[in-house]
Amino acid sequence: MLRGLTGAGLGKLESNEQFIELAAKYGFQAIDIDALGLVESHGVDGARGLLSKHGLVIGSIGLPVEWRHSEEAFLDGLPKLTQAAAAAAALGCKNCCTYVLPSTDYKAAHFMTLATRRLRTCAQILGAYGIRLGLEFVGPHHLRTQWKHPFIWTLEETLDWIDAIGESNVGLLFDAYHWYTNGLTVADIEKLRADQIVHVHINDAPDVPLEDVRDNGRIYPGEGVIDLAGFLQGLQRIGYKGAVAQEILTAAPPTDSPESLVQRSKAGFDKVYAEAGIG
């Protein structure tokens, strides 16, 4: 499993170039980054060369389409999705991910109908470029009542929804934080197949009651109470071989330098990978 980084939790990064350089310097192998932006600033050959020079691959791009609100906003985003998919494919990235909030101000049944159709369309566009779509269920309890109507927040519901979307390139973005806040176990991971997982996020949680864990209260791997060794071992046992990308969402931006935060991230990965017995 590749050690990966997102920009979340790394403070005020000056540029994509700084992000790439720091990730490589501290032994990371994959980054989640805007492939289209990288191609626009460097060209395809330049972006490929920059990644190759630093021994990095792109773990995933974000879904650049607003599928949660109006039909007009959704349709307006589709041209950019095509551009982003082409850029990602040109740089060898095969994954695109989005999150699913656990409540909504829209009536849930109607929203489900719209969201299923919209995400199916996104998956079809991505599939034409050989890219998979990962859906991330979101577990923190406070978000389940943040908006008027409950929606999806469990692994089982998300898998059922993926079946309903009906495209073979749709799977899970599997996040350790949401695994933890759903009260799931290593056994739940072992029930999955590796091909059901598109991408993985890793982070840790403070020692507070489960129902008080906040989505923007994440801490660095190895600094909290999540059984990340078991999480990684479960993924390894089912044969997952993709990126495991750190994503740290906090209430206030970190004030430490990006380099010190990447160094801290490396220490966390070293700790939890060693505990899991993974090189």
Side-chain angles (χ1 to χ4, degrees), residues 1-278:
M1 291 181 285
L2 304 180
R3 299 185 184 204
L5 283 179
T6 74
L10 301 185
K12 191 174 181 180
L13 289 160
E14 296 174 3
S15 63
N16 284 334
E17 292 77 14
Q18 183 192 29
F19 180 33
I20 289 168
E21 289 168 6
L22 288 175
K25 180 177 179 179
Y26 289 96
F28 289 91
Q29 300 156 296
I31 52 171
D32 289 7
I33 198 169
D34 175 9
L36 179 58
L38 208 57
V39 166
E40 289 176 339
S41 61
H42 292 272
V44 171
D45 289 342
R48 285 175 178 164
L50 183 63
L51 293 168
S52 177
K53 173 185 173 183
H54 291 90
L56 292 169
V57 298
I58 299 178
S60 179
I61 61 169
L63 183 67
V65 177
E66 182 44 82
W67 57 269
R68 302 174 187 87
H69 296 298
S70 74
E71 187 72 5
E72 182 181 17
F74 170 68
L75 293 174
D76 284 348
L78 292 181
K80 186 172 182 181
L81 175 58
T82 301
Q83 295 170 342
L91 299 183
C93 173
K94 298 185 180 299
N95 302 322
C96 176
C97 294
T98 190
Y99 59 89
V100 181
L101 292 171
S103 58
T104 176
D105 280 339
Y106 299 102
K107 292 181 179 178
H110 186 214
F111 180 61
M112 172 65 80
T113 301
L114 295 176
T116 300
R117 173 176 55 78
R118 291 170 182 172
L119 290 173
R120 182 181 295 130
T121 298
C122 292
Q124 290 168 346
I125 292 170
L126 291 166
Y129 292 89
I131 296 173
R132 301 184 71 198
L133 175 61
L135 303 183
E136 179 183 39
F137 61 93
V138 173
H141 293 212
H142 69 105
L143 293 179
R144 301 177 188 182
T145 54
Q146 181 73 33
W147 296 277
K148 289 180 183 178
H149 305 291
F151 194 55
I152 283 176
W153 66 72
T154 71
L155 171 60
E156 182 179 18
E157 291 167 340
T158 309
L159 290 172
D160 286 343
W161 193 21
I162 288 168
D163 285 343
I165 291 169
E167 296 295 326
S168 61
N169 63 323
V170 183
L172 296 166
L173 165 53
F174 201 63
D175 189 308
Y177 209 72
H178 306 315
W179 173 71
Y180 173 70
T181 51
N182 264 286
L184 298 173
T185 67
V186 175
D188 292 301
I189 298 174
E190 293 172 341
K191 293 174 185 175
L192 296 170
R193 303 185 312 273
D195 63 14
Q196 290 177 290
I197 301 176
V198 172
H199 194 47
V200 171
H201 282 166
I202 194 170
N203 33 59
D204 219 330
D207 189 6
V208 299
L210 195 61
E211 61 271 18
D212 294 334
V213 175
R214 310 291 291 185
D215 195 50
N216 63 355
R218 309 184 196 199
I219 55 181
Y220 292 79
E223 298 183 10
V225 297
I226 299 180
D227 177 17
L228 294 178
F231 179 77
L232 291 169
Q233 288 169 342
L235 291 170
Q236 185 182 51
R237 278 196 284 273
I238 65 171
Y240 176 75
K241 299 183 185 301
V244 177
Q246 174 183 283
E247 185 192 46
I248 309 296
L249 305 181
T250 56
T255 55
D256 292 346
S257 71
E259 179 152 11
S260 67
L261 294 169
V262 176
Q263 194 169 14
R264 181 177 176 182
S265 302
K266 179 187 183 302
F269 269 81
D270 287 345
K271 178 182 178 182
V272 298
Y273 269 60
E275 290 174 348
I278 299 172

